Amino acid sequence: MPDTPIAALPSTHDSHSTHSLPSRALDTEPKTRPTRSADPNVLRCESTADFLAALPVLTGFTADNSLFLVFFSGRRAGRAIRVDLPDRDDPGTMRALLDLLSERLGAVSQREGRVSGAAVVICTTTTFASARMTPHRDLAHRIERRLRRDGYRLRELCCLAPDGWASYFDDSTPATGRPLRAIAESPINRYIADDPQLRAKPITSLDALAELPSVEAGRRASIAAALDGPHLPGADEPSPLLSGPGSLTDEATVRADATRFESSFDRTDAGPPSDTVHLVRALASRERWFVLLLTALAPAAVVPDLCSGLPGNNRHHLTLDIDGEPANSPNSGWSVLRMVTNLPLEALDFDRLRQATSATADLAATVSGRWRVGPLALLALLWWLRGIHSAAERHLDRVRDAPSELGDVTHMVDRIVREYAPPGW
């Protein structure tokens, strides 16, 4: 999920080595003033309250009833993951949660070549007042014990509730929690307000992330009429545009799709209806859908070369998911699924992914019925690449049973989201 800035935080519990899971905060009341690092993209936090103030900038969103796990490399926080707070206390649910946390920390540690530290925050709607203590204390202790047993260093383990916050490592925390004003008054908030880059990154709720933007009814009607009518190519696009098997061999079609999609990334208005119609038509073809996926990952100028370099016979017959089908394809060894699930973290441009996500959400919001399947499948995959499963799953729920010629595409994306960890995890 977290594809934004980084926060540095001193360890307040260096003796604790453990585990962690979806987390969202760090610990205790401010002891010294936080400082701005020499790196303009780093916020130096001196307390848990500072870290809680900075965390929404790191993750890009807020979420209730969630566990956030923030990974550390040395003293610097990097990416974070979120999972739902367990709604029951049975052994199977707890074991799955603890296994997930330990597994994710193990994967990050293996990638970095050393044991990764982490911070865990439990964000809950349960109040200190109703619990008469720090909420979810038993869960926090289970997490701490399991991760310590597995050799992972837990820098902090905290709770953020509607009426207070606390570190589970701080025995002096009152039963009513520490006051939220310590977070609201943290100097980190001033640094964020004064930094144009940080200020430009909108913070929203997790639920709002998966909402599609509103589109004026007249625009939707005119685009629907154009999509259901005959295709009349614009002056700047090849005629006819190829779709279906073989279209990846047509450099003019590939270039037109990639260029049109990339041009929508920085657009502040809705753009001409002809552009929307062009891109929605492209997303209705599995081959041209793949071209737009490549454009979300790489500059449009190189996408034709990427297509021409596809292995085997994929330019003529694109293989989506060889692992989910009988292994009788001449393209065995390569598929779109294998390409996507083996992308290294270093290959991802998260600013570009954010732009592509916004542009694709606009397309999905503008159309309905069968025309919406392609945009929503791409949107789900982009959210998965950014590490936000909840948004990906919500978009997939909208298309799983929708009639479409893109059933194999949605099935592939569904498998990726359900069965694979995003790059870097």
Side-chain angles (χ1 to χ4, degrees), residues 39 90-91 124 136 158 254 256 263 271 280 332 363 370 380-381 388 413:
D39 182 342
D90 64 89
T124 179
H136 305 289
C158 323
V254 171
S263 70
V280 171
S332 60
L363 295 175
R370 66 186 181 93
L381 189 54
I388 305 182
V413 175

Side-chain angles (χ1 to χ4, degrees), residues 239-291:
S239 178
L241 284 170
L242 294 182
S243 289
S247 60
L248 294 177
T249 65
D250 181 11
E251 183 175 337
T253 298
V254 171
R255 191 174 302 280
D257 288 346
T259 302
R260 193 73 64 100
F261 190 38
E262 186 176 71
S263 70
S264 69
F265 287 0
D266 296 321
R267 187 171 286 151
T268 56
D269 58 11
S274 60
D275 283 1
T276 299
V277 171
H278 176 114
L279 293 172
V280 171
R281 286 188 185 277
L283 287 168
S285 156
R286 60 188 279 176
E287 289 78 14
R288 294 174 67 189
W289 184 95
F290 175 65
V291 169

Side-chain angles (χ1 to χ4, degrees), residues 2-27:
D3 35 291
T4 51
I6 292 183
L9 181 84
S11 173
T12 54
H13 301 278
D14 288 340
S15 62
H16 289 275
S17 105
T18 52
H19 56 296
S20 190
L21 170 69
S23 106
R24 165 198 243 172
L26 275 222
D27 186 294

Side-chain angles (χ1 to χ4, degrees), residues 212 220 364-377 398-399:
L212 297 175
R220 286 174 55 91
T366 305
V367 294
S368 60
R370 66 186 181 93
W371 294 112
R372 183 177 268 196
V373 174
L376 286 175
R398 294 171 168 144
V399 298

Side-chain angles (χ1 to χ4, degrees), residues 85-90 93-94:
L85 196 62
D87 56 3
R88 57 185 187 277
D89 191 23
D90 64 89
T93 300
M94 288 298 109

Side-chain angles (χ1 to χ4, degrees), residues 100 175 189 303 335 378:
L100 173 65
N189 292 308
V303 170
S335 69
L378 180 58

